[in-house]
Amino acid sequence: MKVAYLGPVGSYSYEAAKGFIKNGNINLIPCDTIDDVFEIVTEDEKVYGVVPVENSIEGSVSTTLDNLLKADVYIIKEIVLKVEHYLCCKETPKKINSIASHPQAFSQCHDYLRKYYKGAELIQVNSTSYAAKMCAEGKVDAAICSTFAAMQNNLQIIDGPINHDNNYTRFFVLNKQPNFERGEKNKTSIIFSTYDRPGSLYKILAIFNLYDLNLTKIESRPAKTSLGEYVFFVDIDGFIDEEDVSDALKVVQRKSAFYKLLGSYSVIRE
C-alpha cells in the first residue's frame, strides 16, 4: 500500500500515516506540501494520503479544507494524535538565535517562546521534521520537532514538551475512492453552501436539530467564487447508513445551493 504524507520522515503526519496501517507492507511517500499530497491522491486511486486538518490549540488547517472543497477525494478515516513539541539542537548551544519549525508548531509553543526566546528569529518551514533536518545541517541553532524527528537527525533535546497542554491534531486519511467503513466511533463530513436568502443557513442547521444529530464541527471558508460567498464544512456524529443521518443529509442536499459528501469514516485515537 502506498501512502503519501506531509514529510519528511519524522513529521507528525508521518506518525499518523504509520498509525493508519500498523501491519502489512506500506510504502510511505513524503511530500513537501499538503497540496502535493492531494495531487498524488487525485492522480492515482491506489495511493492514500494523510494530511492534518485541525489542531486543538490552533484550529483548522485552511489548506486542507480548501483542497477538500476542490479535489476529487474522499475521507476514509480520521486519526487523532497527541502532539508534543520539543526544543532540539545539534549540540548544547551557548545561545539560541534562530529556531525553525512549522507555523502551527510555533503557535502551539507561543507562550514558551515568548517567555524564553523572545528575541530569537523564528524561521517557518513546511514541516517540523524539515526543521530538524535544517538544524542537523547547521542552518539554524534549534528546531521545534518531535522526539522521533530529533532522533532521526541526531539532535539533542534541550527542553520539552514546550507546547500548550492538551495539544491534539486530527488527520484525515484520503483516497480517490469512497470507502465507508464503520468503527467504534464514526463521523460523516459534508460541505454545503446556501442560497443568498435571509435565514438560509439557519434553515439548514435546523434540519440537523430536527433529526437530533450532533454537529462536532461547523466552519465557513471562502467559496473562492466572489467576495462574500462562503461554503460550510460540517462534521456529524454518526455513520451514513444510520437512518437519521441518511435522511437528514438528503434534505440538506435538496436545500443547498452546493453540496458535497466528503466521507463517512471511523475515528482512530492514537
Side-chain angles (χ1 to χ4, degrees), residues 91-214:
E91 54 190 28
T92 304
K94 294 181 180 179
K95 187 177 181 181
I96 294 176
N97 294 312
S98 59
I99 305 172
S101 197
H102 188 275
Q104 284 228 342
F106 281 137
S107 297
Q108 293 160 26
C109 303
H110 173 270
D111 291 351
Y112 175 88
L113 293 171
R114 181 80 177 171
K115 183 176 181 179
Y116 297 107
Y117 296 98
K118 190 174 180 179
E121 180 185 7
L122 304 182
I123 300 172
Q124 298 185 358
V125 294
N126 286 336
S127 70
T128 54
S129 50
Y130 184 73
K133 184 174 181 290
M134 285 181 63
C135 186
E137 293 171 350
K139 296 178 180 178
V140 291
D141 295 331
I144 294 176
C145 61
S146 68
T147 55
F148 183 82
M151 180 182 66
Q152 286 288 110
N153 291 277
N154 297 313
L155 299 180
Q156 296 181 28
I157 295 176
I158 304 301
D159 201 1
I162 63 172
N163 50 267
H164 296 283
D165 293 335
N166 299 314
N167 191 18
Y168 291 86
T169 297
R170 297 170 62 206
F171 296 85
F172 281 159
V173 181
L174 310 169
N175 191 245
K176 193 171 175 62
Q177 298 296 325
N179 181 17
F180 300 153
E181 185 177 318
R182 270 182 170 275
E184 291 184 10
K185 179 175 175 56
N186 304 284
K187 287 183 181 178
T188 299
S189 295
I190 65 170
I191 309 175
F192 69 88
S193 66
T194 63
Y195 291 102
D196 188 14
R197 300 169 187 163
S200 292
L201 178 58
Y202 169 79
K203 291 175 182 177
I204 289 182
L205 295 180
I207 296 168
F208 297 112
N209 179 63
L210 178 64
Y211 284 90
D212 199 26
L213 298 179
N214 182 35

